[in-house]
Amino acid sequence: MIRILKVSPRQRNKQKNVAMIEIGKRIKEVISEKKVTVTWVATQVPCERTNLYNIFKRRDISMSLLWKLSDILDHNFIQELADQYKNAKTKKGA
């Protein structure tokens, strides 16, 4: 399983200049932007609504779940993360 943006405290100190997105918060924002309910998304995943609220608290998520949520919400979280990483790396090198 691939994890997105999961780093140890030691790695985090080495990557201070790389902006890290809290993916759970971003998923919650997109659900709100799309004007769909948490209940609806949970039925699409499928999972319990409480599990989805737990996802909102996460800083990392499995690639398969992120892919599924991207499809359900018609929002490319994977590309968004890649773009943010690329932008952070560009700023670091500037």
Side-chain angles (χ1 to χ4, degrees), residues 8-93:
S8 71
R10 178 177 276 172
Q11 290 170 322
R12 195 173 296 123
N13 288 338
K14 289 180 182 178
Q15 296 178 349
K16 286 181 181 178
N17 295 332
V18 177
M20 289 181 50
I21 182 175
E22 291 189 33
I23 193 62
K25 287 182 180 180
R26 184 63 186 131
I27 291 166
K28 185 177 180 180
E29 289 171 0
V30 171
I31 288 172
S32 180
E33 290 168 8
K34 297 285 184 170
K35 298 184 181 357
V36 295
T37 65
V38 172
T39 302
W40 179 83
V41 175
T43 61
Q44 300 301 305
V45 170
C47 70
E48 295 292 323
R49 193 171 43 94
T50 54
N51 291 346
L52 201 53
Y53 283 113
N54 288 334
I55 290 170
F56 297 159
K57 298 174 189 174
R58 294 185 191 175
R59 292 190 66 167
D60 61 279
I61 189 171
S62 72
M63 187 63 120
S64 60
L65 181 55
L66 189 61
W67 188 278
K68 186 178 279 191
L69 288 167
S70 292
D71 186 44
I72 291 166
L73 295 169
D74 193 31
H75 181 87
N76 194 339
F77 291 106
I78 298 162
Q79 185 63 52
E80 186 175 336
L81 289 170
D83 291 345
Q84 286 191 351
Y85 181 78
K86 183 179 176 183
N87 289 340
K89 284 295 214 181
T90 302
K91 288 178 185 177
K92 182 179 176 182

